[in-house]
Amino acid sequence: MLFRSSPDETNYTAQAQRLLREGPAGLRGIAEEYHRDPAARLAGPPTRAGYLWALAATMKLTGRADESAGVLLSCAASIGTLLLVALIGIRFFPPWATAFALLFLAIFPAELELARRAWADALVGMLGLAVVYCAMEVTREILQNTRRRFWQAAFLISGSVGIVVKEFGAVTFALAALWVVGLFMMRGQLRESRFVVIGGLAGAAISLLYLVYAVGGFGALIAIVADWRGAHVANQYAIEFQSGPPGNLLRAMHINSPFVGVMQVVAIGYLLRALWKRMVEASSWPEAAEMARGCLLWFAFIFFCLTMLLPNWLNLRYVSVLFGPFCLLSGWGYARLVETFTGFPRIGRAIAAVALSAVTLLSAISDFRRFPKFYVNDGVGDLSVKLILDRADMFEAERVVKRRPTAENFLALCWRYEQNWRYKDSIAACENALKLRPDFARSEEHTS
């Protein structure tokens, strides 16, 4: 294994092993222990039955019963996400936008970390992106006034399945359904929305009924939800590492890939401008592809804002469903930016092509190097924002010391090392500060 297993990975593996041995009775046993033993609530709740069954199936198919089975499942899901991004790009974006999006996602550090860990979030991200893709296809059909039910049925099935994989699956389904039904209403096609409304309610009901059966009754399900919520609110890890100002989540995303973050802002500007011109200035409906991209932006924005505002949820694992949409929007923004140089004279286009190629290459190399730097080589072990921000602050302190190796800067680096549990390095940095200024400790004590 290339990582030290986290408690979540160990618990998921143990739960899947029990399902493999005992079948459905094992899940009911897990539910009983979860409700009875507060210590068991440190693991994921048994309402994530969809992931546990997928992990148990992976163990059976591969013959592996340790965390490596979860890694294989995560890797396969991450590849599936990449394929979905390619499919969405082909359907709704220009070719260059799709190429850039695939490049951005293939080297996106947080996605690479998910692909090598035995967490549920890579599978959650893939299934959530499938729901959004189906919603985009339904959006196209609404604007084209087609009456086929295939994409609506695919949307309902994928959304309903996501509910039993992880809690955020229900949020993904609800937000995408809200977009689809709202678009039907805006188009004056309320009767045509009945299939989605009734089917969505039925799919959600079937998923909930399965969970009721799986955990041993409706009362057991209510108790598990209450126990899970209470455990999360009181979880010391979540309080310390997944809380803070909402903007920390945005900063952590930007740290993972600064170039993707900047290009995403460019894409939002272009898309809002296009939708404004169509719907407000021209008083007409956008083209189907434009409106589908609007669906992607709507979902990404609302989902990200919800996660920012929920208490103790500041973890990039919980927004894994947005990695694909973010890279798609960034790729489209970059492609639109490249198009602005097509009107230049030939020599200008050549210079711009060389400059943009260099920017793309340097950004890709930077992101690819950031992945092992943050997550593999003495990595943070999770994607919670405080761990990522502390690691980024430590690297910045190291750069400052290289530029100006003063006693004050070494002392600041000592503190940053301590925040990241690198105690030997912290002691070494403190010793360097004392070598530069032997009286530093006394002067600092006098100042304080």
Side-chain angles (χ1 to χ4, degrees), residues 8 166 168 232 235-246 248-249 307-318 382-387:
D8 277 354
K166 200 173 181 180
F168 273 123
H232 181 77
N235 189 308
Q236 290 302 311
Y237 176 86
I239 293 171
E240 183 174 357
F241 296 105
Q242 296 179 183
S243 61
N248 282 354
L249 187 63
T307 312
M308 288 174 66
L309 297 175
L310 289 172
N312 304 343
W313 284 99
L314 301 183
N315 191 317
L316 294 190
R317 286 167 55 190
Y318 303 153
D382 195 7
L383 297 180
S384 59
V385 294
K386 188 177 186 301
L387 293 175

PDB file of all heavy atoms in Angstrom, residues 8 166 168 232 235-246 248-249 307-318 382-387:
ATOM      1  N   ASP A   8     -11.641   5.792   8.238  1.00  0.00           N
ATOM      2  CA  ASP A   8     -12.747   5.528   7.308  1.00  0.00           C
ATOM      3  C   ASP A   8     -12.450   4.323   6.432  1.00  0.00           C
ATOM      4  O   ASP A   8     -13.324   3.462   6.214  1.00  0.00           O
ATOM      5  CB  ASP A   8     -12.992   6.754   6.426  1.00  0.00           C
ATOM      6  CG  ASP A   8     -13.858   7.796   7.114  1.00  0.00           C
ATOM      7  OD1 ASP A   8     -14.346   7.518   8.219  1.00  0.00           O
ATOM      8  OD2 ASP A   8     -14.034   8.888   6.555  1.00  0.00           O
ATOM      9  N   LYS A 166     -24.205   7.296  -0.675  1.00  0.00           N
ATOM     10  CA  LYS A 166     -23.762   8.221   0.370  1.00  0.00           C
ATOM     11  C   LYS A 166     -24.781   9.347   0.460  1.00  0.00           C
ATOM     12  O   LYS A 166     -25.510   9.621  -0.491  1.00  0.00           O
ATOM     13  CB  LYS A 166     -22.364   8.764   0.074  1.00  0.00           C
ATOM     14  CG  LYS A 166     -21.663   9.321   1.310  1.00  0.00           C
ATOM     15  CD  LYS A 166     -20.210   9.696   1.031  1.00  0.00           C
ATOM     16  CE  LYS A 166     -19.552  10.221   2.302  1.00  0.00           C
ATOM     17  NZ  LYS A 166     -18.131  10.603   2.083  1.00  0.00           N
ATOM     18  N   PHE A 168     -24.725  12.556   0.310  1.00  0.00           N
ATOM     19  CA  PHE A 168     -24.708  13.629  -0.664  1.00  0.00           C
ATOM     20  C   PHE A 168     -25.338  13.209  -1.993  1.00  0.00           C
ATOM     21  O   PHE A 168     -25.624  14.061  -2.837  1.00  0.00           O
ATOM     22  CB  PHE A 168     -23.287  14.136  -0.894  1.00  0.00           C
ATOM     23  CG  PHE A 168     -22.878  15.215   0.072  1.00  0.00           C
ATOM     24  CD1 PHE A 168     -21.758  15.064   0.865  1.00  0.00           C
ATOM     25  CD2 PHE A 168     -23.624  16.372   0.206  1.00  0.00           C
ATOM     26  CE1 PHE A 168     -21.382  16.052   1.766  1.00  0.00           C
ATOM     27  CE2 PHE A 168     -23.262  17.366   1.100  1.00  0.00           C
ATOM     28  CZ  PHE A 168     -22.135  17.204   1.879  1.00  0.00           C
ATOM     29  N   HIS A 232     -21.566  13.304  14.006  1.00  0.00           N
ATOM     30  CA  HIS A 232     -20.814  14.228  13.151  1.00  0.00           C
ATOM     31  C   HIS A 232     -20.658  15.595  13.814  1.00  0.00           C
ATOM     32  O   HIS A 232     -19.574  16.189  13.778  1.00  0.00           O
ATOM     33  CB  HIS A 232     -21.518  14.395  11.807  1.00  0.00           C
ATOM     34  CG  HIS A 232     -20.785  15.308  10.866  1.00  0.00           C
ATOM     35  ND1 HIS A 232     -19.675  14.902  10.172  1.00  0.00           N
ATOM     36  CD2 HIS A 232     -20.996  16.608  10.535  1.00  0.00           C
ATOM     37  CE1 HIS A 232     -19.215  15.909   9.447  1.00  0.00           C
ATOM     38  NE2 HIS A 232     -20.007  16.953   9.649  1.00  0.00           N
ATOM     39  N   ASN A 235     -18.072  15.228  16.501  1.00  0.00           N
ATOM     40  CA  ASN A 235     -16.814  14.603  16.084  1.00  0.00           C
ATOM     41  C   ASN A 235     -15.657  15.593  16.219  1.00  0.00           C
ATOM     42  O   ASN A 235     -15.636  16.637  15.571  1.00  0.00           O
ATOM     43  CB  ASN A 235     -16.943  14.121  14.633  1.00  0.00           C
ATOM     44  CG  ASN A 235     -15.763  13.278  14.205  1.00  0.00           C
ATOM     45  OD1 ASN A 235     -14.616  13.675  14.345  1.00  0.00           O
ATOM     46  ND2 ASN A 235     -16.065  12.117  13.661  1.00  0.00           N
ATOM     47  N   GLN A 236     -14.683  15.251  17.066  1.00  0.00           N
ATOM     48  CA  GLN A 236     -13.577  16.171  17.321  1.00  0.00           C
ATOM     49  C   GLN A 236     -12.723  16.402  16.086  1.00  0.00           C
ATOM     50  O   GLN A 236     -12.199  17.503  15.869  1.00  0.00           O
ATOM     51  CB  GLN A 236     -12.713  15.636  18.473  1.00  0.00           C
ATOM     52  CG  GLN A 236     -13.389  15.707  19.832  1.00  0.00           C
ATOM     53  CD  GLN A 236     -13.794  17.139  20.184  1.00  0.00           C
ATOM     54  OE1 GLN A 236     -13.001  18.080  20.082  1.00  0.00           O
ATOM     55  NE2 GLN A 236     -15.047  17.314  20.601  1.00  0.00           N
ATOM     56  N   TYR A 237     -12.561  15.367  15.270  1.00  0.00           N
ATOM     57  CA  TYR A 237     -11.798  15.539  14.034  1.00  0.00           C
ATOM     58  C   TYR A 237     -12.492  16.543  13.121  1.00  0.00           C
ATOM     59  O   TYR A 237     -11.860  17.447  12.571  1.00  0.00           O
ATOM     60  CB  TYR A 237     -11.650  14.197  13.320  1.00  0.00           C
ATOM     61  CG  TYR A 237     -10.946  14.323  11.987  1.00  0.00           C
ATOM     62  CD1 TYR A 237      -9.558  14.301  11.904  1.00  0.00           C
ATOM     63  CD2 TYR A 237     -11.673  14.475  10.794  1.00  0.00           C
ATOM     64  CE1 TYR A 237      -8.912  14.434  10.686  1.00  0.00           C
ATOM     65  CE2 TYR A 237     -11.032  14.612   9.581  1.00  0.00           C
ATOM     66  CZ  TYR A 237      -9.651  14.579   9.526  1.00  0.00           C
ATOM     67  OH  TYR A 237      -9.022  14.724   8.326  1.00  0.00           O
ATOM     68  N   ALA A 238     -13.801  16.388  12.962  1.00  0.00           N
ATOM     69  CA  ALA A 238     -14.546  17.303  12.099  1.00  0.00           C
ATOM     70  C   ALA A 238     -14.506  18.725  12.640  1.00  0.00           C
ATOM     71  O   ALA A 238     -14.369  19.690  11.880  1.00  0.00           O
ATOM     72  CB  ALA A 238     -15.997  16.823  11.961  1.00  0.00           C
ATOM     73  N   ILE A 239     -14.616  18.860  13.958  1.00  0.00           N
ATOM     74  CA  ILE A 239     -14.595  20.195  14.560  1.00  0.00           C
ATOM     75  C   ILE A 239     -13.243  20.869  14.333  1.00  0.00           C
ATOM     76  O   ILE A 239     -13.162  22.060  14.011  1.00  0.00           O
ATOM     77  CB  ILE A 239     -14.907  20.105  16.066  1.00  0.00           C
ATOM     78  CG1 ILE A 239     -16.358  19.656  16.282  1.00  0.00           C
ATOM     79  CG2 ILE A 239     -14.662  21.431  16.758  1.00  0.00           C
ATOM     80  CD1 ILE A 239     -16.702  19.331  17.710  1.00  0.00           C
ATOM     81  N   GLU A 240     -12.162  20.106  14.488  1.00  0.00           N
ATOM     82  CA  GLU A 240     -10.827  20.697  14.387  1.00  0.00           C
ATOM     83  C   GLU A 240     -10.378  20.910  12.953  1.00  0.00           C
ATOM     84  O   GLU A 240      -9.776  21.934  12.628  1.00  0.00           O
ATOM     85  CB  GLU A 240      -9.815  19.812  15.111  1.00  0.00           C
ATOM     86  CG  GLU A 240      -8.409  20.403  15.106  1.00  0.00           C
ATOM     87  CD  GLU A 240      -7.430  19.605  15.957  1.00  0.00           C
ATOM     88  OE1 GLU A 240      -7.870  18.621  16.599  1.00  0.00           O
ATOM     89  OE2 GLU A 240      -6.240  19.967  15.976  1.00  0.00           O
ATOM     90  N   PHE A 241     -10.676  19.948  12.064  1.00  0.00           N
ATOM     91  CA  PHE A 241     -10.081  19.975  10.728  1.00  0.00           C
ATOM     92  C   PHE A 241     -11.071  20.268   9.602  1.00  0.00           C
ATOM     93  O   PHE A 241     -10.656  20.505   8.473  1.00  0.00           O
ATOM     94  CB  PHE A 241      -9.376  18.641  10.439  1.00  0.00           C
ATOM     95  CG  PHE A 241      -8.225  18.365  11.352  1.00  0.00           C
ATOM     96  CD1 PHE A 241      -8.335  17.430  12.369  1.00  0.00           C
ATOM     97  CD2 PHE A 241      -7.034  19.054  11.223  1.00  0.00           C
ATOM     98  CE1 PHE A 241      -7.279  17.177  13.217  1.00  0.00           C
ATOM     99  CE2 PHE A 241      -5.959  18.807  12.066  1.00  0.00           C
ATOM    100  CZ  PHE A 241      -6.084  17.860  13.074  1.00  0.00           C
ATOM    101  N   GLN A 242     -12.377  20.245   9.878  1.00  0.00           N
ATOM    102  CA  GLN A 242     -13.360  20.469   8.821  1.00  0.00           C
ATOM    103  C   GLN A 242     -14.285  21.649   9.126  1.00  0.00           C
ATOM    104  O   GLN A 242     -15.377  21.733   8.587  1.00  0.00           O
ATOM    105  CB  GLN A 242     -14.200  19.199   8.604  1.00  0.00           C
ATOM    106  CG  GLN A 242     -13.394  18.024   8.116  1.00  0.00           C
ATOM    107  CD  GLN A 242     -14.207  16.762   7.922  1.00  0.00           C
ATOM    108  OE1 GLN A 242     -13.667  15.713   7.575  1.00  0.00           O
ATOM    109  NE2 GLN A 242     -15.507  16.811   8.138  1.00  0.00           N
ATOM    110  N   SER A 243     -13.844  22.524   9.988  1.00  0.00           N
ATOM    111  CA  SER A 243     -14.634  23.703  10.313  1.00  0.00           C
ATOM    112  C   SER A 243     -13.794  24.947  10.055  1.00  0.00           C
ATOM    113  O   SER A 243     -12.604  24.865   9.771  1.00  0.00           O
ATOM    114  CB  SER A 243     -15.094  23.658  11.770  1.00  0.00           C
ATOM    115  OG  SER A 243     -13.969  23.635  12.643  1.00  0.00           O
ATOM    116  N   GLY A 244     -14.449  26.108  10.172  1.00  0.00           N
ATOM    117  CA  GLY A 244     -13.762  27.364   9.925  1.00  0.00           C
ATOM    118  C   GLY A 244     -14.565  28.245   8.983  1.00  0.00           C
ATOM    119  O   GLY A 244     -15.717  27.928   8.640  1.00  0.00           O
ATOM    120  N   PRO A 245     -13.984  29.340   8.518  1.00  0.00           N
ATOM    121  CA  PRO A 245     -14.686  30.223   7.576  1.00  0.00           C
ATOM    122  C   PRO A 245     -15.056  29.475   6.289  1.00  0.00           C
ATOM    123  O   PRO A 245     -14.257  28.676   5.792  1.00  0.00           O
ATOM    124  CB  PRO A 245     -13.657  31.326   7.288  1.00  0.00           C
ATOM    125  CG  PRO A 245     -12.724  31.288   8.453  1.00  0.00           C
ATOM    126  CD  PRO A 245     -12.666  29.855   8.889  1.00  0.00           C
ATOM    127  N   PRO A 246     -16.250  29.697   5.751  1.00  0.00           N
ATOM    128  CA  PRO A 246     -16.658  28.991   4.534  1.00  0.00           C
ATOM    129  C   PRO A 246     -15.675  29.168   3.376  1.00  0.00           C
ATOM    130  O   PRO A 246     -15.494  28.257   2.554  1.00  0.00           O
ATOM    131  CB  PRO A 246     -18.022  29.607   4.205  1.00  0.00           C
ATOM    132  CG  PRO A 246     -18.529  30.109   5.516  1.00  0.00           C
ATOM    133  CD  PRO A 246     -17.326  30.551   6.279  1.00  0.00           C
ATOM    134  N   ASN A 248     -12.652  28.961   3.331  1.00  0.00           N
ATOM    135  CA  ASN A 248     -11.528  28.022   3.360  1.00  0.00           C
ATOM    136  C   ASN A 248     -11.685  26.903   2.340  1.00  0.00           C
ATOM    137  O   ASN A 248     -10.701  26.387   1.805  1.00  0.00           O
ATOM    138  CB  ASN A 248     -11.378  27.422   4.761  1.00  0.00           C
ATOM    139  CG  ASN A 248     -10.703  28.370   5.730  1.00  0.00           C
ATOM    140  OD1 ASN A 248     -10.235  29.440   5.340  1.00  0.00           O
ATOM    141  ND2 ASN A 248     -10.652  27.996   6.996  1.00  0.00           N
ATOM    142  N   LEU A 249     -12.942  26.506   2.085  1.00  0.00           N
ATOM    143  CA  LEU A 249     -13.172  25.463   1.080  1.00  0.00           C
ATOM    144  C   LEU A 249     -12.775  25.959  -0.303  1.00  0.00           C
ATOM    145  O   LEU A 249     -12.157  25.223  -1.095  1.00  0.00           O
ATOM    146  CB  LEU A 249     -14.643  25.038   1.098  1.00  0.00           C
ATOM    147  CG  LEU A 249     -15.013  23.835   0.215  1.00  0.00           C
ATOM    148  CD1 LEU A 249     -14.283  22.588   0.675  1.00  0.00           C
ATOM    149  CD2 LEU A 249     -16.519  23.598   0.230  1.00  0.00           C
ATOM    150  N   THR A 307     -22.233  23.091   0.621  1.00  0.00           N
ATOM    151  CA  THR A 307     -21.164  22.446   1.378  1.00  0.00           C
ATOM    152  C   THR A 307     -20.387  23.460   2.204  1.00  0.00           C
ATOM    153  O   THR A 307     -19.973  23.173   3.330  1.00  0.00           O
ATOM    154  CB  THR A 307     -20.209  21.715   0.422  1.00  0.00           C
ATOM    155  OG1 THR A 307     -20.963  20.916  -0.497  1.00  0.00           O
ATOM    156  CG2 THR A 307     -19.267  20.806   1.191  1.00  0.00           C
ATOM    157  N   MET A 308     -20.195  24.651   1.660  1.00  0.00           N
ATOM    158  CA  MET A 308     -19.494  25.697   2.399  1.00  0.00           C
ATOM    159  C   MET A 308     -20.240  26.098   3.664  1.00  0.00           C
ATOM    160  O   MET A 308     -19.636  26.411   4.690  1.00  0.00           O
ATOM    161  CB  MET A 308     -19.306  26.933   1.511  1.00  0.00           C
ATOM    162  CG  MET A 308     -18.284  26.776   0.411  1.00  0.00           C
ATOM    163  SD  MET A 308     -18.253  28.211  -0.690  1.00  0.00           S
ATOM    164  CE  MET A 308     -17.655  29.490   0.423  1.00  0.00           C
ATOM    165  N   LEU A 309     -21.563  26.080   3.591  1.00  0.00           N
ATOM    166  CA  LEU A 309     -22.376  26.596   4.696  1.00  0.00           C
ATOM    167  C   LEU A 309     -22.716  25.548   5.746  1.00  0.00           C
ATOM    168  O   LEU A 309     -23.089  25.893   6.868  1.00  0.00           O
ATOM    169  CB  LEU A 309     -23.667  27.209   4.148  1.00  0.00           C
ATOM    170  CG  LEU A 309     -23.473  28.427   3.228  1.00  0.00           C
ATOM    171  CD1 LEU A 309     -24.797  28.866   2.645  1.00  0.00           C
ATOM    172  CD2 LEU A 309     -22.796  29.568   3.980  1.00  0.00           C
ATOM    173  N   LEU A 310     -22.609  24.259   5.409  1.00  0.00           N
ATOM    174  CA  LEU A 310     -22.920  23.214   6.384  1.00  0.00           C
ATOM    175  C   LEU A 310     -21.831  23.158   7.453  1.00  0.00           C
ATOM    176  O   LEU A 310     -20.644  23.273   7.145  1.00  0.00           O
ATOM    177  CB  LEU A 310     -23.035  21.854   5.697  1.00  0.00           C
ATOM    178  CG  LEU A 310     -24.268  21.647   4.816  1.00  0.00           C
ATOM    179  CD1 LEU A 310     -24.155  20.332   4.054  1.00  0.00           C
ATOM    180  CD2 LEU A 310     -25.536  21.650   5.659  1.00  0.00           C
ATOM    181  N   PRO A 311     -22.201  22.979   8.732  1.00  0.00           N
ATOM    182  CA  PRO A 311     -21.194  22.946   9.790  1.00  0.00           C
ATOM    183  C   PRO A 311     -20.331  21.693   9.722  1.00  0.00           C
ATOM    184  O   PRO A 311     -20.841  20.581   9.543  1.00  0.00           O
ATOM    185  CB  PRO A 311     -22.033  22.976  11.076  1.00  0.00           C
ATOM    186  CG  PRO A 311     -23.365  22.424  10.673  1.00  0.00           C
ATOM    187  CD  PRO A 311     -23.574  22.841   9.249  1.00  0.00           C
ATOM    188  N   ASN A 312     -19.024  21.879   9.834  1.00  0.00           N
ATOM    189  CA  ASN A 312     -18.053  20.777   9.890  1.00  0.00           C
ATOM    190  C   ASN A 312     -18.022  19.929   8.619  1.00  0.00           C
ATOM    191  O   ASN A 312     -17.738  18.731   8.677  1.00  0.00           O
ATOM    192  CB  ASN A 312     -18.326  19.863  11.093  1.00  0.00           C
ATOM    193  CG  ASN A 312     -18.336  20.601  12.403  1.00  0.00           C
ATOM    194  OD1 ASN A 312     -17.844  21.724  12.502  1.00  0.00           O
ATOM    195  ND2 ASN A 312     -18.914  20.000  13.427  1.00  0.00           N
ATOM    196  N   TRP A 313     -18.292  20.550   7.468  1.00  0.00           N
ATOM    197  CA  TRP A 313     -18.277  19.799   6.215  1.00  0.00           C
ATOM    198  C   TRP A 313     -17.212  20.319   5.247  1.00  0.00           C
ATOM    199  O   TRP A 313     -17.293  20.061   4.048  1.00  0.00           O
ATOM    200  CB  TRP A 313     -19.652  19.870   5.533  1.00  0.00           C
ATOM    201  CG  TRP A 313     -20.673  18.986   6.176  1.00  0.00           C
ATOM    202  CD1 TRP A 313     -21.627  19.350   7.068  1.00  0.00           C
ATOM    203  CD2 TRP A 313     -20.833  17.574   5.993  1.00  0.00           C
ATOM    204  NE1 TRP A 313     -22.368  18.264   7.456  1.00  0.00           N
ATOM    205  CE2 TRP A 313     -21.907  17.158   6.814  1.00  0.00           C
ATOM    206  CE3 TRP A 313     -20.171  16.622   5.230  1.00  0.00           C
ATOM    207  CZ2 TRP A 313     -22.334  15.841   6.883  1.00  0.00           C
ATOM    208  CZ3 TRP A 313     -20.600  15.306   5.292  1.00  0.00           C
ATOM    209  CH2 TRP A 313     -21.669  14.934   6.112  1.00  0.00           C
ATOM    210  N   LEU A 314     -16.234  21.045   5.748  1.00  0.00           N
ATOM    211  CA  LEU A 314     -15.224  21.632   4.864  1.00  0.00           C
ATOM    212  C   LEU A 314     -14.149  20.595   4.549  1.00  0.00           C
ATOM    213  O   LEU A 314     -13.067  20.571   5.141  1.00  0.00           O
ATOM    214  CB  LEU A 314     -14.617  22.871   5.511  1.00  0.00           C
ATOM    215  CG  LEU A 314     -15.605  24.000   5.858  1.00  0.00           C
ATOM    216  CD1 LEU A 314     -14.876  25.201   6.418  1.00  0.00           C
ATOM    217  CD2 LEU A 314     -16.428  24.391   4.631  1.00  0.00           C
ATOM    218  N   ASN A 315     -14.472  19.738   3.609  1.00  0.00           N
ATOM    219  CA  ASN A 315     -13.571  18.667   3.187  1.00  0.00           C
ATOM    220  C   ASN A 315     -13.757  18.462   1.685  1.00  0.00           C
ATOM    221  O   ASN A 315     -14.894  18.338   1.217  1.00  0.00           O
ATOM    222  CB  ASN A 315     -13.889  17.381   3.960  1.00  0.00           C
ATOM    223  CG  ASN A 315     -12.836  16.307   3.775  1.00  0.00           C
ATOM    224  OD1 ASN A 315     -12.356  16.068   2.672  1.00  0.00           O
ATOM    225  ND2 ASN A 315     -12.469  15.648   4.868  1.00  0.00           N
ATOM    226  N   LEU A 316     -12.661  18.416   0.943  1.00  0.00           N
ATOM    227  CA  LEU A 316     -12.778  18.266  -0.511  1.00  0.00           C
ATOM    228  C   LEU A 316     -13.352  16.910  -0.906  1.00  0.00           C
ATOM    229  O   LEU A 316     -13.876  16.763  -2.007  1.00  0.00           O
ATOM    230  CB  LEU A 316     -11.405  18.461  -1.171  1.00  0.00           C
ATOM    231  CG  LEU A 316     -10.784  19.858  -1.069  1.00  0.00           C
ATOM    232  CD1 LEU A 316      -9.558  19.954  -1.968  1.00  0.00           C
ATOM    233  CD2 LEU A 316     -11.784  20.950  -1.433  1.00  0.00           C
ATOM    234  N   ARG A 317     -13.273  15.934  -0.016  1.00  0.00           N
ATOM    235  CA  ARG A 317     -13.897  14.641  -0.323  1.00  0.00           C
ATOM    236  C   ARG A 317     -15.406  14.806  -0.532  1.00  0.00           C
ATOM    237  O   ARG A 317     -16.012  14.092  -1.335  1.00  0.00           O
ATOM    238  CB  ARG A 317     -13.646  13.658   0.815  1.00  0.00           C
ATOM    239  CG  ARG A 317     -12.223  13.118   0.882  1.00  0.00           C
ATOM    240  CD  ARG A 317     -11.966  12.411   2.190  1.00  0.00           C
ATOM    241  NE  ARG A 317     -12.943  11.349   2.430  1.00  0.00           N
ATOM    242  CZ  ARG A 317     -13.054  10.708   3.587  1.00  0.00           C
ATOM    243  NH1 ARG A 317     -12.277  11.043   4.609  1.00  0.00           N
ATOM    244  NH2 ARG A 317     -13.947   9.747   3.728  1.00  0.00           N
ATOM    245  N   TYR A 318     -16.010  15.742   0.199  1.00  0.00           N
ATOM    246  CA  TYR A 318     -17.459  15.906   0.150  1.00  0.00           C
ATOM    247  C   TYR A 318     -17.914  16.659  -1.102  1.00  0.00           C
ATOM    248  O   TYR A 318     -19.117  16.722  -1.363  1.00  0.00           O
ATOM    249  CB  TYR A 318     -17.952  16.639   1.399  1.00  0.00           C
ATOM    250  CG  TYR A 318     -17.557  15.952   2.690  1.00  0.00           C
ATOM    251  CD1 TYR A 318     -17.395  16.676   3.870  1.00  0.00           C
ATOM    252  CD2 TYR A 318     -17.316  14.581   2.741  1.00  0.00           C
ATOM    253  CE1 TYR A 318     -17.025  16.057   5.053  1.00  0.00           C
ATOM    254  CE2 TYR A 318     -16.938  13.956   3.909  1.00  0.00           C
ATOM    255  CZ  TYR A 318     -16.796  14.689   5.067  1.00  0.00           C
ATOM    256  OH  TYR A 318     -16.415  14.067   6.230  1.00  0.00           O
ATOM    257  N   ASP A 382      -5.783  13.108   4.334  1.00  0.00           N
ATOM    258  CA  ASP A 382      -7.192  13.387   4.112  1.00  0.00           C
ATOM    259  C   ASP A 382      -7.278  14.622   3.232  1.00  0.00           C
ATOM    260  O   ASP A 382      -6.262  15.251   2.914  1.00  0.00           O
ATOM    261  CB  ASP A 382      -7.908  13.611   5.447  1.00  0.00           C
ATOM    262  CG  ASP A 382      -9.428  13.546   5.326  1.00  0.00           C
ATOM    263  OD1 ASP A 382      -9.916  13.200   4.228  1.00  0.00           O
ATOM    264  OD2 ASP A 382     -10.119  13.840   6.305  1.00  0.00           O
ATOM    265  N   LEU A 383      -8.503  14.989   2.857  1.00  0.00           N
ATOM    266  CA  LEU A 383      -8.716  16.184   2.047  1.00  0.00           C
ATOM    267  C   LEU A 383      -9.460  17.257   2.827  1.00  0.00           C
ATOM    268  O   LEU A 383     -10.058  18.154   2.236  1.00  0.00           O
ATOM    269  CB  LEU A 383      -9.510  15.827   0.774  1.00  0.00           C
ATOM    270  CG  LEU A 383      -8.828  14.862  -0.188  1.00  0.00           C
ATOM    271  CD1 LEU A 383      -9.717  14.595  -1.399  1.00  0.00           C
ATOM    272  CD2 LEU A 383      -7.487  15.381  -0.640  1.00  0.00           C
ATOM    273  N   SER A 384      -9.441  17.180   4.149  1.00  0.00           N
ATOM    274  CA  SER A 384     -10.070  18.229   4.951  1.00  0.00           C
ATOM    275  C   SER A 384      -9.291  19.526   4.778  1.00  0.00           C
ATOM    276  O   SER A 384      -8.067  19.538   4.635  1.00  0.00           O
ATOM    277  CB  SER A 384     -10.114  17.828   6.425  1.00  0.00           C
ATOM    278  OG  SER A 384      -8.822  17.582   6.929  1.00  0.00           O
ATOM    279  N   VAL A 385     -10.010  20.651   4.782  1.00  0.00           N
ATOM    280  CA  VAL A 385      -9.401  21.911   4.353  1.00  0.00           C
ATOM    281  C   VAL A 385      -8.282  22.362   5.290  1.00  0.00           C
ATOM    282  O   VAL A 385      -7.275  22.915   4.829  1.00  0.00           O
ATOM    283  CB  VAL A 385     -10.471  23.015   4.209  1.00  0.00           C
ATOM    284  CG1 VAL A 385     -11.435  22.691   3.096  1.00  0.00           C
ATOM    285  CG2 VAL A 385     -11.214  23.245   5.518  1.00  0.00           C
ATOM    286  N   LYS A 386      -8.430  22.153   6.597  1.00  0.00           N
ATOM    287  CA  LYS A 386      -7.392  22.629   7.505  1.00  0.00           C
ATOM    288  C   LYS A 386      -6.072  21.922   7.248  1.00  0.00           C
ATOM    289  O   LYS A 386      -4.997  22.543   7.295  1.00  0.00           O
ATOM    290  CB  LYS A 386      -7.808  22.444   8.961  1.00  0.00           C
ATOM    291  CG  LYS A 386      -6.836  23.108   9.940  1.00  0.00           C
ATOM    292  CD  LYS A 386      -7.297  22.985  11.366  1.00  0.00           C
ATOM    293  CE  LYS A 386      -6.380  23.795  12.301  1.00  0.00           C
ATOM    294  NZ  LYS A 386      -4.982  23.345  12.217  1.00  0.00           N
ATOM    295  N   LEU A 387      -6.112  20.622   6.980  1.00  0.00           N
ATOM    296  CA  LEU A 387      -4.889  19.895   6.669  1.00  0.00           C
ATOM    297  C   LEU A 387      -4.239  20.441   5.406  1.00  0.00           C
ATOM    298  O   LEU A 387      -3.015  20.599   5.340  1.00  0.00           O
ATOM    299  CB  LEU A 387      -5.194  18.405   6.510  1.00  0.00           C
ATOM    300  CG  LEU A 387      -5.639  17.657   7.770  1.00  0.00           C
ATOM    301  CD1 LEU A 387      -6.020  16.230   7.426  1.00  0.00           C
ATOM    302  CD2 LEU A 387      -4.553  17.681   8.834  1.00  0.00           C
TER     303      LEU A 387
END
